[in-house]
Amino acid sequence: MKKTHTPTDHSNPVISIRGLKKAFEDYAVLRGIDLDLYQGENLVVLGRSGTGKSVLIKIISGLLKPDAGEITVLGHNMEQITEKELQELRVRIGFSFQNSALYDSMTVRKNLEFPLVRNRKGITRAEINTAVETVLDAVGLSQTINQMPAELSGGQRKRIGIARTLILNPEIMLYDEPTAGLDPITCIEINDLINEVQQRYNTSSIIITHDLTCAKQTGDRIAMLLDGQFQRTGTFDEVFDTDDTRVKPFFDYNFIH
Amino acid sequence: MDTAESTTAVKKNSKFKQSLVNFFTDLYKINQFILRFFREAFVPPFEFKEIVRQCFEVGVRSFTLISVTGFIVGVIFTKQSRPSLSEFGAQSWLPSLVSIAIMRALAPLVTALIASGKVGSSIGAELGSMRVTEQIDAMEVSGTKPFKFLVCTRVLATTLTIPILSTYTGLIAILGGFLNVSQNEGTSWSTFIQQVFEPLTFVDFVASLIKSIVFGFTIGIVGCYQGYNSTKGTEGVGKAANGAVVTAMFLVFIEEVIIVQITSWFR
């Protein structure tokens, strides 16, 4: 699916971050991040490995605690949020992990049912089956319903991982390296799926990647993470229209080599 | 003392201090882990289905090994005890000796050691693997409480199942003892059973049960702690499995000594 630029409501950020800092022992990974994600927007966070991209979305989802800074997600201040509110908020955020993180001991069906059964009390068997079939259809993998994760290819695992998050109808999607380790054709299929999800489910997304093709195909806006801060933010062309020696090699390497 | 020697001494000293700090940090973390278990395990919603599934897993995983080991322990213990009793012409005490040894000490201990190896390592490796492949994080971000679902259920399962397995081990070991006694002394089943239960008191049964519950809890909590907190990729999974077995076995022996001491005050 070709990316159609989605109109975004800039008065209504679904995620707002100010002065976010995070260090691991003596190494400061994030050094004062400011970021807004707007309703209906696909924001790509680009950066080299180890620059704290994944740390950023883990902090947003509450998996890691920041050292400093203010984070507001869907109107909730993450510093003041109670455990119960965090549980409820997490259902509204989909997280697609780099290695899919499918539950090894469960079939695809059980993987998809798991979040649904645990978060929608009183849901009927028929409703579960319909939801599972719908998300599997959305990611184009209906035939894998009874397979185990070990029987799936890397691309299929990514799709099922995305399907598992979609089953709860999230308002925000966080993608951690969605195309890492995949062949170029599968990468394009995953990029198309990300765009499809955005339009079909009306999600706002943060896509963490170092793959410029992915960034170009999926991003409404790009934020380049360098030295623990966003050094350049804008459209793809705006970000790479620069002589900055820290940014240019990134572009050259992706498209020339 | 020259400079090189003094540097080595300082290094050794700081290494020792670091190990001491690490030891107390670990102790604090384990304590927090256990407290978290008690905070979450007995608060609704309860994971009955998963607890039953885990109980079945624990039981099935160890059943064959426990049956064989229990039987062999019974036969060997009876066989090895006979010559000593024969020296004093006390061979008729063999069933009583077997029952006291098995019910008071061997059955809970043998069951716990086997379960440490089979169940503890399996829990450590399973949770460790789930941790390093981000499956636990995936549960957390999907609004599920992984601690309650993964840890509480497994610890409750080992705590409930190991006493049952321990009782089973005791019965199988007594059966092994009976076969040996019956073959050598021609004792009938009814006489044997009468002699087996004669010396056992209520305290013996209660102490054996409490011991098995404590052992079961230890095996579950150690396996879960090691797996749930595992780091450093696949290497961490191996370490978690190994740590689960070694630590659980060590603690089982320590607990055995303490419980034996306490129960001896009630006799």
Side-chain angles (χ1 to χ4, degrees), chain A residues 148-189:
Chain A
M148 297 299 285
E151 296 168 334
L152 304 174
S153 68
Q156 286 177 323
R157 289 171 70 93
K158 292 266 185 197
R159 282 167 178 270
I160 299 296
I162 293 171
R164 191 176 60 186
T165 64
L166 290 178
I167 206 155
L168 292 172
N169 286 315
E171 292 160 55
I172 297 173
M173 281 293 291
L174 304 173
Y175 297 93
D176 190 4
E177 305 278 9
T179 56
L182 301 177
D183 66 84
I185 295 167
T186 312
C187 284
I188 290 168
E189 286 172 2

Side-chain angles (χ1 to χ4, degrees), chain A residues 58 61 63 83 87 90-91 93 95 97-99 101-104 114-115 118-119 164 168 176, chain B residues 36 40 45 47 53 126 129-130 132-145 149:
Chain A
K58 282 185 178 175
S61 63
L63 282 175
E83 203 180 323
Q87 289 283 115
R90 276 171 168 165
V91 177
I93 305 171
F95 197 123
F97 285 85
Q98 186 171 350
N99 296 311
L102 298 181
Y103 309 130
D104 290 335
F114 188 80
R118 306 196 70 75
N119 289 292
R164 191 176 60 186
L168 292 172
D176 190 4
Chain B
R36 191 175 171 190
E40 294 197 16
E47 307 281 357
R53 198 181 76 83
E126 191 181 5
S129 160
M130 287 185 80
V132 301
T133 56
E134 296 180 309
Q135 290 176 50
I136 294 178
D137 288 344
M139 275 189 189
E140 200 153 351
V141 295
S142 68
T144 302
K145 288 182 173 173
F149 184 74

Side-chain angles (χ1 to χ4, degrees), chain B residues 39-227:
Chain B
R39 269 203 310 270
E40 294 197 16
F42 305 105
V43 177
F46 299 108
E47 307 281 357
F48 288 121
K49 238 174 140 179
E50 184 63 13
I51 292 171
V52 170
R53 198 181 76 83
Q54 289 300 330
C55 284
F56 182 75
E57 285 280 310
V58 172
V60 166
R61 265 181 210 158
S62 328
F63 188 77
T64 315
L65 195 57
I66 276 178
S67 302
V68 174
T69 317
F71 185 77
I72 292 172
V73 165
V75 172
I76 300 292
F77 185 78
T78 314
K79 219 173 162 59
Q80 297 287 9
S81 306
R82 184 175 290 108
S84 308
L85 288 179
S86 299
E87 271 184 44
F88 302 101
Q91 242 161 302
S92 59
W93 287 4
L94 205 48
S96 305
L97 177 70
V98 169
S99 74
I100 289 171
I102 286 171
M103 293 314 285
R104 280 189 189 172
L106 287 176
L109 195 61
V110 167
T111 311
L113 292 179
I114 290 171
S116 299
K118 286 286 280 182
V119 181
S121 65
S122 164
I123 291 175
E126 191 181 5
L127 294 193
S129 160
M130 287 185 80
R131 170 61 74 196
V132 301
T133 56
E134 296 180 309
Q135 290 176 50
I136 294 178
D137 288 344
M139 275 189 189
E140 200 153 351
V141 295
S142 68
T144 302
K145 288 182 173 173
F147 191 91
K148 199 173 177 71
F149 184 74
L150 298 171
V151 175
C152 295
T153 54
R154 280 164 175 76
V155 177
L156 285 173
T158 52
T159 311
L160 292 172
T161 315
I162 285 176
I164 298 170
L165 286 173
S166 175
T167 310
Y168 171 73
T169 309
L171 295 175
I172 287 286
I174 286 173
L175 179 70
F178 165 70
L179 290 180
N180 191 270
V181 170
S182 132
Q183 203 178 30
N184 290 281
E185 279 84 24
T187 311
S188 71
W189 173 247
S190 57
T191 314
F192 181 83
I193 285 297
Q194 198 187 345
Q195 287 179 326
V196 157
F197 285 103
E198 217 170 49
L200 295 175
T201 61
F202 179 69
V203 174
D204 291 323
F205 289 109
V206 173
S208 180
L209 183 70
I210 290 173
K211 223 190 267 187
S212 302
I213 290 171
V214 172
F215 291 165
F217 178 78
T218 304
I219 292 163
I221 207 89
V222 168
C224 287
Y225 176 79
Q226 295 283 351

Side-chain angles (χ1 to χ4, degrees), chain A residues 112 130-140 163-164 166-168 201:
Chain A
L112 299 177
T130 308
V132 168
E133 283 157 21
T134 307
V135 288
L136 270 181
D137 182 53
V139 298
R164 191 176 60 186
L166 290 178
I167 206 155
L168 292 172
Y201 291 84

